[in-house]
Amino acid sequence: MTDYEVLRVFCGPDGGYGNELGVVRAGAALPDRADRQAFARELGFSETVFVDDPERGEIDIYTPTLRLPFAGHPCVGAAWLLGVDRLVTAAGEVDVRRDGGLTLVAARPAWAPPRTLRRYASAAEVDALEVPPPGEWIYAWAWQDEAAGTVRARAFPGRGDGIDEDEATGAAALLLTAHLGRALTVTQGRGSQLLTGSRPGGLIEVGGRVRRTLPEGGPQRAGGVGSA
């Protein structure tokens, strides 16, 4: 059995919604990549993160079907949980900043996996979209208020791994921010919120609010691979 925690990352202003993230604090319990992949598939979250060194902030990120060098919501969640000022990912070092109740990470757009940024004429059109068939990772978006920099978005991974729609997607918001060249406030999924902006050196910052799914309980357990 392997212990893990569940966070909600990019919660709305009232603390609701957010994208669930599985976190295995004791990454040494599953050192093999194949076992990590199997565990992430078993949990079934859009991403699961394994902590290899909590003091250095070294993490390893998986979807149910593949390993990611970098992803936004695992980095924001891990930074919040570990309380570090920097993370070490397979893509590179990620700076961490805190602003009130927000946790924000800064990364290079080139680290984000490719996404199709598909613009629509209105937020209502985005709301009305059906889940497209697998095959293309689509980030559907529209301005809610262009002058204010507010965006309505939905994310469709298209991987055919059971995650038909991603509730909140930091990497895609990072790419959209780089594309538009301005800070954004993104409402994604059912009501999650992501805040973005530019940083010196070509970095893009993305962040939001993080909550534990079970704040009163200890780590949860899942079996099948590894031990704790």
Side-chain angles (χ1 to χ4, degrees):
M1 302 294 289
T2 301
D3 289 347
Y4 68 98
E5 299 178 55
V6 183
L7 308 179
R8 290 183 294 111
V9 183
F10 301 128
C11 297
D14 63 354
Y17 303 104
N19 194 7
E20 287 188 315
L21 172 70
V23 181
V24 179
R25 281 201 196 228
L30 292 174
D32 186 78
R33 286 189 184 180
D35 286 344
R36 291 183 176 191
Q37 187 66 77
F39 192 76
R41 183 165 54 249
E42 180 181 352
L43 292 189
F45 299 127
S46 58
E47 279 105 12
T48 297
V49 61
F50 298 84
V51 179
D52 288 321
D53 188 327
E55 294 184 0
R56 294 184 66 238
E58 187 174 341
I59 61 173
D60 195 20
I61 304 166
Y62 291 78
T63 76
T65 54
L66 56 91
R67 182 177 185 252
L68 296 177
F70 167 82
H73 111 277
C75 285
V76 172
W80 179 86
L81 186 65
L82 299 176
V84 294
D85 294 326
R86 183 168 297 182
L87 294 169
V88 180
T89 71
E93 292 189 353
V94 176
D95 290 333
V96 178
R97 183 173 70 89
R98 292 168 183 81
D99 184 0
L102 305 176
T103 300
L104 304 105
V105 301
R108 300 193 178 281
W111 293 351
R115 305 285 188 252
T116 297
L117 305 177
R118 186 167 294 172
R119 181 178 177 179
Y120 289 82
S122 69
E125 286 189 43
V126 174
D127 289 337
L129 291 173
E130 299 288 337
V131 175
E136 186 177 14
W137 213 117
I138 297 170
Y139 196 60
W141 71 278
W143 289 113
Q144 289 181 313
D145 184 334
E146 186 171 358
T150 57
V151 166
R152 174 72 177 115
R154 293 174 65 191
F156 305 106
R159 295 186 300 253
D161 61 1
I163 309 297
D164 294 331
E165 181 169 354
D166 210 336
E167 173 62 25
T169 317
L174 184 153
L175 289 174
L176 182 62
T177 301
H179 173 70
L180 296 174
R182 59 179 295 185
L184 302 173
T185 299
V186 180
T187 299
Q188 188 181 321
R190 297 171 301 156
S192 301
Q193 188 180 78
L194 303 87
L195 294 95
T196 73
S198 298
R199 292 275 298 275
L203 299 175
I204 300 295
E205 187 173 67
V206 60
R209 302 168 188 84
V210 184
R211 301 287 185 272
R212 279 189 174 89
T213 296
L214 297 173
E216 300 300 326
Q220 301 173 67
R221 288 191 160 191
V225 290
S227 60

